Amino acid sequence: MTKQPLPVVDSARTEFGFSRTQCDCLECTRNCHHIPGYLVPADLERIHQHVAPDHDLLAWAKEHLLASPGALVTRDHQTFRIPTLVPARRPDGACIFLTATDHCAIHAVSPFGCAFFDAHMPHAEADRRSKRGLHAVLQAWNGNGLYAQVWMALADDGLVAPAPEVARQQLREAGRKEPQ
């Protein structure tokens, strides 16, 4: 999938002041099979440049990303969604960047929703990180930035991911079926 060698993962990579996580245990990578992490605006160009720098960004996005309805959030007693970009899915529902050996083909530049979370993180910390990332996405929407434009183009073409709560339910059901 990638046209150039993968760079070494920068363990010092930060986003919004958060440090990248490094776990790739079975519990953490199980997410890759059901609910690929969301991109923040900075991820869009970073991943595109890593995977296909010579291709048009929108054409690349139509092959590698989906428009997700996004996370449900509550603000001032109002519940709404913040639409997000997520990696496209293979026919089996797994992330398009997940290799046959269950490794991430873009691990070095993986999306914020992957690189800064793991299954062992306390919920409060995951929520804090998620809120910050979603705030950046919301800002991109409010400014009609490239992120929002790409999302609209994907949605217009029917390239839409299942809602996160649907994917989370599939993840839970898969966990119940796995041998303990």
Side-chain angles (χ1 to χ4, degrees):
M1 172 160 298
T2 57
K3 293 185 174 202
Q4 52 200 358
L6 290 174
V8 174
V9 173
D10 180 2
S11 61
R13 177 178 164 195
T14 62
E15 198 80 49
F16 314 119
F18 301 117
S19 295
R20 180 188 176 103
T21 61
Q22 294 294 320
C23 191
D24 67 350
C25 75
L26 183 61
E27 192 175 351
C28 288
T29 58
R30 199 164 37 121
N31 289 308
C32 307
H33 289 273
H34 302 280
I35 185 164
Y38 71 92
L39 281 70
V40 295
D43 291 328
L44 188 57
E45 190 61 32
R46 177 179 24 249
I47 297 169
H48 168 245
Q49 285 302 309
H50 178 74
V51 174
D54 298 332
H55 289 82
D56 172 74
L57 183 128
L58 187 55
W60 171 82
K62 287 182 179 186
E63 292 180 29
H64 295 91
L65 302 177
L66 294 173
S68 170
L72 282 168
V73 296
T74 302
R75 185 179 192 179
D76 299 328
H77 306 293
Q78 297 284 342
T79 300
F80 60 98
R81 289 189 184 272
I82 299 176
T84 56
L85 294 171
V86 297
R89 308 281 176 87
R90 298 185 321 209
D92 66 358
C95 176
I96 192 172
F97 297 115
L98 189 63
T99 69
T101 58
D102 275 354
H103 290 94
C104 180
I106 61 166
H107 185 68
V109 295
S110 59
F112 175 78
C114 303
F116 292 84
F117 298 83
D118 68 43
H120 315 289
M121 183 176 286
H123 289 295
E125 179 62 15
D127 286 347
R128 191 168 75 95
R129 291 174 182 226
S130 187
K131 285 178 187 176
R132 184 60 191 95
L134 290 171
H135 180 74
V137 172
L138 185 57
Q139 286 178 310
W141 274 97
N142 289 339
N144 194 31
L146 181 61
Y147 191 97
Q149 293 169 29
V150 168
W151 191 97
M152 292 297 292
L154 295 176
D156 286 348
D157 284 358
L159 301 170
V160 179
E165 62 273 13
V166 171
R168 270 193 224 67
Q169 181 60 36
Q170 292 169 342
L171 177 64
R172 283 190 292 273
E173 289 171 7
R176 285 192 287 269
K177 292 176 186 173
E178 290 177 3
Q180 301 298 324

